[in-house]
Amino acid sequence: MIDAFKRASAWRITAVLPYYCYARQDRKDKPRVPISAKLVADLLETAGASRALTLDLHAPQIQGYLTFRWITFMVRPCSLSISAILSCRI
């Protein structure tokens, strides 16, 4: 789809990745093993994405070796008690 957007002369392309599945592969634990998180990020940039938007990366050091703009939203669980819900008047 990034290629289709590029061919349609899009000014800026944002890749939205709700789950970045390679985020846990951010370091080399054995010799001759690629850092897959960087490889996938380079693929997105080569395809033409000008920035990427993700939710909850596994580790913040992933942003350190990226060469294009990477926006990460941190998500925290939100719990409401029943009394708080019942006390709200609409």
Side-chain angles (χ1 to χ4, degrees), residues 41-56:
D42 288 344
L43 280 168
L44 284 171
E45 185 180 15
T46 302
S50 55
R51 58 187 176 172
L53 181 117
T54 61
L55 298 174
D56 284 335

Side-chain angles (χ1 to χ4, degrees), residues 8-66:
S9 302
W11 178 60
R12 179 176 46 204
I13 300 170
T14 302
V16 178
L17 307 165
Y19 177 69
Y20 189 56
C21 55
Y22 293 96
R24 290 184 137 328
Q25 299 175 357
D26 58 345
R27 64 186 177 281
K28 293 178 76 161
D29 54 349
K30 298 176 187 171
R32 301 179 61 102
V33 174
I35 300 175
S36 300
K38 172 136 176 74
L39 178 67
V40 172
D42 288 344
L43 280 168
L44 284 171
E45 185 180 15
T46 302
S50 55
R51 58 187 176 172
L53 181 117
T54 61
L55 298 174
D56 284 335
L57 288 177
H58 168 67
Q61 71 259 21
I62 291 176
Q63 294 180 348
Y65 55 72
L66 300 172

